[in-house]
Amino acid sequence: MALPVAFFAVFFAWPVAAIVARGLKADGAWRFGRIADVVTQPDIRHVLWFTTWQALASTALTLLLALPAAHVFARLDFPGKQLLRAVVTVPFVLPTVVVGTAFLALVGRGGLLDDLWGVRLDTTVWAILLAHVFFNYAVVVRTVGGLWAQLDPRQEQAARMLGASPLTAWRKVTLPALAPAVAAAALMVFLFTFTSFGVVQILGGPTFSTLEVEIYRQTSEVFDLSTAAVLTLVQFVAVGAILAVHAWTVRRRESALRLVDPKVTARRPRGAGQWALLAGVLLTVVLLLVAPLAVLVQRSLDAPGLGYYRALTDADGGTFLVAPLHAVWTSLEYAVAATVIALAVGGLAAAALARRDAGRLVRGFDALLMLPLGVSAVTVGFGFLIALDRPPLDLRQSWILVPLAQALVGAPFVVRTMLPVLRAVDGRLREAAAVLGASPWRVWREVDLPLVRRALLIAAGFAFAVSLGEFGATVFIARPDDPTLPVAVARLLSRPGELNYGQAMALSTILMVVCAAALLVLERLRTDRTGEF
């Protein structure tokens, strides 16, 4: 636990505390009465209500649409499965500003639905909910499907032989085994939607606002750092309470599972029901995930002769000090470094939390690990600039600052992906290896690692994808000569002109292709080199 605790203390707790103290302190005295003044304002109460309501609705809708896909990927084998898995995951890493614009093109005035059927959703909450499902579909599919694929199907088959119906067998046998993964996925979706920023800012307009949007508005538009600090504390306390209840609930429901090679659990679809389920999942993916991506590609190709792509190689000397295309290589370098850091921090934390003899203090750290996903990225970004600007940690001019911020968001993904599988490993296997004379390191290498290798690769893919698409904190600390892809896209979208907009769409398409290629490689490694139990 030493490295995870030190990492989160220095690069999360310290920056957040610094920015909150800057907002709530005046003339050397704390102004705690400001908290009551802010939360009792009618407009702030409306923001709090909408933030909670839309997060619950988005989570429920995401689970409803994504759980069937998790079953399809875990239990069915069909041509193009690896490609489809990559397509499902790509939306999760796209910048929120680009996805918001793409959904406006689909559901707004003059969009696809408006042209075909005269239907507009941009003035309703449905546009926000659908965009949230677009982002978080992969969270449920990969988190739940990753464990589902390793559950022994013979347990459910035994229940069927004893007279249980398919639904009863799934509800009594499979669902309890999946509960930790489902709870983890639901938690991540709730946190992402509770702190939603780009989607709500673009699609919500002046009508809808979340806490994250309000914090940004108070910080950058109203310049009221005191109100922003209060809202950060409210968000921090709410997320902390949710995580504490979740950790207690999941801990009580966990049990040892029998894990098998995922290669032997997937079968070709059989029967009309399985084929209908596969067709329904494919239709959902096409309408909900592929259509917005197709809009991005189409808009990037509007200029004749790939004009928008050719323009990416020219440094304009204005917003960027380098050619916009340079952001591709910068993003890849930062993402690799952030993935290594996230795997080291998250892997060690998951290993410590998975031990049955872990103390209460260690188990409490489980909830704290998720707090970076629930705290305003605006607060974290500003906190980095305030806290890490003097020796011994003067990192404002260092390239490592961006990967550290990205790893802060990626590490919880590593923990949440690996922890259910690590806790499912039968402890008797470790005990038997120890009795035979194996050292703790050899026990981990010979027993745990083969069982969790698949989860480790999935965690690496999640961390890499999150790092590529991270925007909230990176926008404040990325240097002008080394912008990341999301920062470059946002800056291009903020500038008027058709060429800037087209370049933003072209960069977004490149980001989509890079993510798809990386995920396909991950799928190949996961399929070819895991499962030798």
Side-chain angles (χ1 to χ4, degrees):
M1 292 297 296
L3 179 61
V5 169
F7 179 82
F8 280 92
V10 174
F11 298 111
F12 174 68
W14 185 18
V16 171
I19 193 68
V20 171
R22 181 72 63 93
L24 292 182
K25 249 186 174 182
D27 300 325
W30 290 92
R31 298 185 301 165
F32 292 109
R34 179 64 176 160
I35 298 178
D37 296 338
V38 171
V39 298
T40 55
Q41 297 176 12
D43 55 338
I44 298 299
R45 290 204 307 268
H46 176 75
V47 169
L48 293 173
W49 174 86
F50 176 75
T51 301
T52 305
W53 177 86
Q54 63 84 27
L56 290 172
S58 297
T59 302
L61 187 60
T62 303
L63 290 175
L64 178 65
L65 294 177
L67 282 177
H71 171 77
V72 165
F73 282 109
R75 295 302 194 204
L76 301 184
D77 186 21
F78 51 91
K81 183 177 179 178
Q82 294 180 15
L83 177 62
L84 184 63
R85 195 191 301 269
V87 170
V88 166
T89 309
V90 165
F92 181 73
V93 302
L94 292 178
T96 55
V97 289
V98 176
V99 176
T101 305
F103 266 84
L104 280 179
L106 287 176
V107 302
R109 177 180 298 177
L112 182 61
L113 294 182
D114 192 16
D115 292 340
L116 293 178
W117 300 293
V119 176
R120 289 182 55 193
L121 300 177
D122 58 320
T123 57
T124 70
V125 73
W126 279 105
I128 296 175
L129 298 182
L130 291 176
H132 283 162
V133 176
F134 173 90
F135 270 114
N136 297 296
Y137 194 86
V139 174
V140 177
V141 170
R142 299 190 73 94
T143 303
V144 179
L147 180 60
W148 203 338
Q150 292 183 271
L151 294 182
D152 192 344
R154 290 175 295 185
Q155 298 176 6
E156 188 172 332
Q157 293 168 3
R160 295 284 305 278
M161 292 180 63
L162 293 174
S165 65
L167 180 60
T168 301
W170 181 83
R171 183 169 54 87
K172 297 278 189 176
V173 178
T174 304
L175 184 59
L178 289 175
V182 174
L187 171 66
M188 285 190 284
V189 174
F190 182 84
L191 285 179
F192 294 146
T193 53
F194 189 83
T195 59
S196 182
F197 173 60
V199 168
V200 178
Q201 188 180 38
I202 294 176
L203 298 177
T207 306
F208 304 109
S209 178
T210 59
L211 270 174
E212 187 84 357
V213 174
E214 189 65 22
I215 291 171
Y216 176 81
R217 191 180 72 86
Q218 294 290 339
T219 301
S220 62
E221 298 178 8
V222 184
F223 304 108
D224 188 351
L225 195 58
S226 175
T227 299
V230 170
L231 296 180
T232 297
L233 284 176
V234 171
Q235 184 169 297
F236 190 87
V237 171
V239 172
I242 294 168
L243 291 175
V245 174
H246 168 268
W248 177 80
T249 303
V250 171
R251 186 75 183 180
R252 287 175 59 91
R253 297 180 64 179
E254 287 174 344
S255 59
L257 307 176
R258 182 176 180 182
L259 303 181
V260 298
D261 186 347
K263 294 179 182 178
V264 305
T265 62
R267 293 286 185 268
R268 290 284 182 175
R270 292 177 294 183
Q274 290 187 352
W275 282 108
L277 178 62
L278 177 58
V281 170
L282 291 175
L283 182 62
T284 301
V285 170
V286 169
L287 295 180
L288 184 63
L289 305 184
V290 176
L293 301 181
V295 170
L296 294 180
V297 175
Q298 183 271 326
R299 293 194 174 187
S300 72
L301 298 174
D302 279 348
L306 301 177
Y308 294 145
Y309 289 92
R310 292 202 308 269
L312 294 177
T313 61
D314 299 328
D316 58 13
T319 303
F320 303 109
L321 301 179
V322 294
L325 193 61
H326 180 74
V328 177
W329 315 115
T330 301
S331 291
L332 291 176
E333 293 170 352
Y334 285 163
V336 171
T339 301
V340 172
I341 298 172
L343 286 177
V345 174
L348 288 173
L353 293 169
R355 293 182 61 88
R356 300 293 177 182
D357 57 350
R360 182 173 299 179
L361 183 62
V362 174
R363 292 197 300 268
F365 189 65
D366 186 10
L368 297 179
L369 287 170
M370 298 297 293
L371 285 178
L373 300 180
V375 173
S376 168
V378 175
T379 301
V380 173
F382 273 126
F384 265 50
L385 296 179
I386 292 175
L388 304 178
D389 64 340
R390 60 180 62 91
L393 281 178
D394 187 2
L395 301 177
R396 294 183 62 173
Q397 302 300 321
S398 174
W399 68 273
I400 197 63
L401 195 62
V402 174
L404 286 172
Q406 294 172 342
L408 193 64
V409 181
F413 281 94
V414 176
V415 176
R416 294 265 65 84
T417 303
M418 294 185 61
L419 193 54
V421 179
L422 279 171
R423 283 177 171 167
V425 176
D426 193 339
R428 291 172 296 181
L429 297 176
R430 301 189 183 101
E431 295 170 0
V435 169
L436 293 174
S439 64
W441 165 247
R442 188 174 181 184
V443 170
W444 162 255
R445 181 167 53 87
E446 299 288 348
V447 177
D448 292 79
L449 184 58
L451 291 173
V452 304
R453 190 183 304 163
R454 182 173 184 269
L456 184 64
L457 289 172
I458 293 175
F462 261 131
F464 184 80
V466 169
S467 299
L468 279 177
E470 206 286 322
F471 172 72
T474 306
V475 69
F476 296 103
I477 56 180
R479 297 185 302 183
D481 58 339
D482 278 321
T484 62
L485 274 170
V487 172
V489 170
R491 290 178 181 175
L492 286 169
L493 285 175
S494 66
R495 302 174 64 187
E498 182 180 349
L499 178 60
N500 291 319
Y501 186 81
Q503 286 181 292
M505 295 299 103
L507 275 181
S508 300
T509 303
I510 293 174
L511 175 59
M512 179 180 65
V513 172
V514 170
C515 292
L519 292 169
L520 281 174
V521 171
L522 174 66
E523 288 301 315
R524 177 64 61 182
L525 291 173
R526 185 186 62 84
T527 303
D528 291 346
R529 301 183 182 180
T530 60
E532 297 86 357
F533 301 148

